[in-house]
Amino acid sequence: MSYFVHESSYIDEGVTIGDGTKVWHFCHVQKGASLGEKCSLGQNVNIANNVKIGNGVKIQNNVSVYEGVELEDYVFCGPSMVFTNDLTPRSKYPKGTEGYKRTLVKYGASIGANATIVCGHTIGRWAMIASGAVVTKDVPDYALMAGVPAKQIGWVCECGTVLKNEWKCQECDREYTLNDGELQEK
């Protein structure tokens, strides 16, 4: 096992951690969670029971990934962004695992600092969620989302460059096509 866990962090029994992953200060990874290879968990990150995290995922400081959330490979979670897993929570009437709504963040998507992802939605591949945005619906692949509630304000390249009314990235030269409202790499 070649991963790093800071001495101030807690890793429960039944957790899988991939090679090259780093778990920094004051983190807690709960029972049944799975972290892929070469992930980075910043300070004060909580990974709840049974959460699945792919390879190369970066989770910045003060993020909780709750049960019902799945992060595919190369997802970026900015500082203090928020996931939810229950649309109608009540302390007196907890629903338990069966009541959680699934949230999927697909390959390469990025979520900015202090954004909120309301549960039950999918964030598409390479999508970018602006800092402070509140996502209340599914997000298409490559979509650039901003605002409260978040609205699509454009498209982004796989490399992260905003595509400005053109389908060829000015930074990396990737080319895209727009088919039936969906952006696809050529």
Side-chain angles (χ1 to χ4, degrees):
M1 294 186 292
S2 61
Y3 56 83
F4 169 79
V5 176
H6 189 270
E7 63 185 21
S8 65
S9 291
Y10 292 96
I11 308 297
D12 290 353
E13 290 184 28
V15 168
T16 304
I17 300 177
D19 288 343
T21 289
K22 295 178 180 175
V23 179
W24 293 102
H25 303 74
F26 312 114
C27 293
H28 185 190
V29 182
Q30 297 179 28
K31 182 180 175 183
S34 172
L35 304 175
E37 296 180 358
K38 298 180 181 172
C39 293
S40 177
L41 275 59
Q43 180 176 303
N44 197 37
V45 169
N46 179 61
I47 306 299
N49 294 326
N50 307 312
V51 166
K52 184 177 186 304
I53 294 176
N55 298 318
V57 172
K58 292 185 180 181
I59 302 174
Q60 300 294 83
N61 297 355
N62 306 313
V63 174
S64 291
V65 184
Y66 295 115
E67 191 166 1
V69 176
E70 179 179 348
L71 308 179
E72 291 185 352
D73 294 347
Y74 300 103
V75 166
F76 176 86
C77 295
S80 301
M81 62 79 46
V82 176
F83 288 106
T84 67
N85 65 2
D86 187 342
L87 292 173
T88 56
R90 292 285 194 214
S91 179
K92 187 173 179 179
Y93 303 102
K95 296 177 190 84
T97 303
E98 300 79 32
Y100 297 152
K101 302 292 182 193
R102 183 170 190 266
T103 298
L104 175 62
V105 183
K106 290 189 172 183
Y107 191 103
S110 292
I111 303 168
N114 293 304
T116 299
I117 310 303
V118 176
C119 60
H121 302 293
T122 297
I123 296 176
R125 294 178 313 110
W126 301 112
M128 187 169 290
I129 311 301
S131 294
V134 178
V135 173
T136 60
K137 61 184 178 182
D138 288 350
V139 174
D141 294 348
Y142 302 100
L144 175 58
M145 306 289 287
V148 178
K151 292 185 171 129
Q152 186 172 356
I153 61 168
W155 300 98
V156 292
C157 177
E158 180 178 320
C159 75
T161 301
V162 176
L163 301 173
K164 298 183 182 195
N165 297 323
E166 57 210 35
W167 305 123
K168 183 175 180 181
C169 179
Q170 298 302 305
E171 292 295 318
C172 71
D173 293 327
R174 280 186 182 84
E175 293 189 50
Y176 297 89
T177 58
L178 190 61
N179 294 320
D180 295 325
E182 292 185 21
L183 194 68
Q184 300 169 343
E185 192 171 357
K186 272 189 177 181

